[in-house]
């Protein structure tokens, strides 16, 4: 009896919420009709999209209530109300979700109030009947559960009216996809612009400055060559040093555009070289990817140190030399993700160890970088410029980035890049 009263109380509270929404729907439907009339005369055109948004919020409230009662979410599908006013008005009028919300609001106005009053009328006889049946006869209550059935009936009617049609769901999914691709394209353009500015800055401040100094020293050497050969030789030695430094700067810029090591060793060899030069103890594991036969020494400016943690795994998941390689753009994105993650771990996390996992999935390349540092890295646009650049680079390939970095660590970056093998 106690459980039946509690269940009936929860159902009554749900029905009371439905009655409150019904009263709001009365105002909403009246406002929508009034706005529609004004929109015909162009006076209320600016109010129409806001009215539709208010109706969507009411429908969203009912979806959450229905999902809380039944345990099953109610899907929604709306076209985004964005852009200039004429486009927003056109979307508000032509969106199938607006028509369904209006039909639901009219239905909620009827069954929401009716079911609430019926539940009130059931309480007194239900308590009397179940008091006798459950209290004196010792049987299960039979009348109080009817109130719960009324709440379930309201939830089912709301679900039936608010569930979008398959065509509306496809249109909304397509609109959301277009919006996502628009944002991704904007991010890719911003990342490309930032990359061009970085290359220009590196060339101007690095290689170009050294080449100017080289030209000046050679010119001075030519002037003093006949009168002071010793000074000329010293100037030529300095010019040779400047030339070597300019070449090193140019190699650095080239590696920032597309690391040659990716072409020479493939992704796994390049990642192992990154791990060896990161200053951390990095364990690299590779599953199903092509692997370089051996890790050769790095260029002089990037010496590689051997590490037992970098030995490739053995067994059925060991990397193979005949496995297909990912496309160049995917390998470059994965390489820069690992480079940025290891750089952040070495500079900011305070960690001494990290791990990198490269996994070939049926239609994707997965990269996982974890460190045992202090954590606290911020996701989204609030994160550092390196993380923002990483997200934009991955988003340009329609990939995903998941960052987990609680205070105290560990920090885990998981990237999935779509890839056709």
């Amino acid at each position: 009896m106690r459980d039946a009263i509690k269940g009936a109380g929860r159902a009554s509270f749900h029905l009371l919420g439905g009655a409150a929404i019904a009263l709001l729907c009365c105002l909403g439907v009246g406002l929508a009709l009034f706005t529609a009339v004004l929109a015909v005369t162009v006076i209320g055109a600016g109010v129409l999209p806001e009215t539709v948004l208010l109706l969507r919020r009411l429908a969203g409230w009912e979806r959450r209530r229905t999902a809380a009662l039944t345990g099953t979410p109610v899907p929604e599908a709306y076209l985004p109300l964005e852009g200039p006013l004429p486009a927003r008005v056109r979307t508000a009028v032509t969106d199938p979700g607006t028509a369904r919300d209006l039909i639901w609001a009219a239905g909620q106005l009827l069954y929401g109030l009716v079911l609430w009053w019926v539940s009130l009328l059931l309480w007194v006889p239900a308590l009397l009947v179940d008091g006798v049946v459950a209290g004196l006869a010792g049987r299960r209550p039979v009348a109080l559960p009817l109130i719960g059935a009324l709440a379930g009936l309201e939830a089912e009617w709301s679900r039936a009216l608010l569930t979008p049609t398959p065509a509306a769901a496809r249109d909304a999914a397509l609109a959301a996809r277009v919006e996502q691709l628009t944002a991704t394209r904007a991010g890719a353009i911003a990342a490309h612009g930032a990359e061009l500015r970085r290359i220009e800055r590196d060339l101007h401040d690095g290689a170009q400055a050294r080449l100017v100094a080289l030209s000046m020293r050679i010119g001075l050497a030519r002037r003093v060559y006949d009168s002071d050969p010793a000074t000329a030789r010293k100037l030529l030695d300095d010019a040779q040093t400047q030339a070597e430094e300019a070449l090193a700067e140019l190699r650095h810029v080239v590696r920032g555009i597309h690391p040659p090591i990716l072409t020479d060793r493939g992704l796994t060899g390049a990642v192992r070289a990154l791990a060896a030069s990161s200053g951390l103890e990095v364990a690299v594991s590779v599953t199903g990817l092509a692997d370089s036969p051996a890790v050769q020494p790095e260029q002089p400016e990037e010496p590689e140190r051997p590490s037992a943690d970098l030995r490739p795994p053995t067994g059925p998941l060991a990397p193979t030399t005949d496995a297909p390689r990912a496309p160049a753009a995917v390998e470059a994105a994965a390489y820069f993700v690992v480079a940025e993650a290891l750089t952040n771990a070495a500079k900011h996390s305070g960690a001494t160890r990290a791990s990198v996992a490269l996994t070939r999935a049926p239609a994707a390349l997965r990269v996982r970088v974890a460190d045992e540092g202090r954590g606290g890295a911020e996701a989204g646009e609030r994160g550092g410029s390196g993380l923002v650049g990483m997200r934009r680079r991955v988003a340009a390939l329609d990939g995903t980035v998941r960052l987990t970095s609680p205070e105290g660590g560990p920090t885990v970056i998981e990237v999935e890049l779509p890839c056709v093998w």
Side-chain angles (χ1 to χ4, degrees), residues 14 16-18 20-22 24 54-68 76 104 162:
H14 179 83
L16 176 60
I21 291 180
L24 294 177
L54 177 61
L55 191 59
R56 289 183 180 182
R57 292 189 183 97
L58 282 176
W61 186 10
E62 181 63 19
R63 285 188 177 92
R64 290 190 293 272
R65 293 178 62 253
T66 301
E76 67 177 25
W104 161 78
L162 290 175

Side-chain angles (χ1 to χ4, degrees), residues 217-421:
R217 280 177 168 76
I218 293 177
L220 291 174
R222 291 180 58 186
R223 289 186 178 184
V224 302
Y225 182 77
D226 294 331
S227 60
D228 192 354
T231 302
R233 282 194 296 272
K234 183 178 184 304
L235 289 173
L236 289 175
D237 291 340
D238 293 341
Q240 183 178 6
T241 303
Q242 291 286 340
E244 294 173 353
E245 292 175 351
L247 286 175
E249 291 284 349
L250 288 174
R251 290 194 195 100
H252 176 75
V253 174
V254 169
R255 282 197 300 271
I257 299 173
H258 183 82
I261 192 172
L262 280 176
T263 304
D264 298 337
R265 301 187 193 173
L267 179 60
T268 54
V271 167
R272 286 197 169 93
L274 280 175
S277 60
S278 65
L280 304 173
E281 296 182 18
V282 183
V284 180
S285 63
V286 180
T287 302
L289 294 177
D291 197 8
S292 54
V295 178
Q296 302 296 330
E298 276 288 305
Q299 297 295 331
E301 65 274 13
E302 291 183 6
E304 180 178 350
R305 56 179 178 82
S307 173
D309 292 331
L310 304 183
R311 291 177 296 179
T314 58
L317 297 182
T320 59
T321 57
D322 56 351
R325 288 183 57 173
V330 175
E331 284 193 344
Y335 176 86
F336 284 114
V337 164
V338 175
E340 181 63 33
L342 291 180
T343 299
N344 288 343
K347 288 184 177 180
H348 308 299
S349 71
T352 58
R353 293 187 298 176
S355 64
V356 178
L358 304 175
T359 305
R360 173 190 172 187
L365 171 65
R366 296 194 180 104
V367 181
R368 184 181 186 275
V369 184
D371 66 70
E372 301 176 355
R374 63 177 64 94
E378 292 187 352
E381 296 297 324
R382 298 179 303 170
S385 59
L387 290 176
V388 173
M390 178 194 301
R391 289 183 179 278
R392 288 176 175 174
R393 186 184 292 272
V394 172
L397 298 176
D398 205 18
T400 58
V401 179
R402 290 183 294 275
L403 172 64
T404 305
S405 183
E407 291 293 338
T411 297
V412 179
I413 298 176
E414 296 176 303
V415 173
E416 183 168 317
L417 296 164
C419 177
V420 178
W421 300 95

Side-chain angles (χ1 to χ4, degrees), residues 83-159:
L85 181 59
R88 298 178 67 201
V89 172
R90 183 168 56 251
T91 301
V93 173
T94 59
D95 186 6
T98 303
R100 295 193 69 85
D101 287 350
L102 284 173
I103 295 172
W104 161 78
Q108 182 73 26
L109 180 59
L110 296 175
Y111 65 76
L113 293 174
V114 170
L115 292 178
W116 163 245
W117 285 111
V118 172
S119 68
L120 288 181
L121 295 176
L122 277 178
W123 263 103
V124 174
L127 288 175
L128 293 176
V129 172
D130 287 339
V132 174
V133 172
L136 299 180
R139 298 181 180 179
R140 296 175 62 86
V142 294
L144 283 174
L146 295 177
I147 301 176
L150 292 177
L153 183 62
E154 185 203 33
E156 290 303 319
W157 284 349
S158 295
R159 180 183 297 277

Side-chain angles (χ1 to χ4, degrees), residues 4-27:
I5 292 176
K6 289 181 180 179
R10 288 192 295 268
S12 296
F13 183 77
H14 179 83
L15 292 170
L16 176 60
I21 291 180
L23 295 177
L24 294 177
C25 286
C26 180
L27 299 176

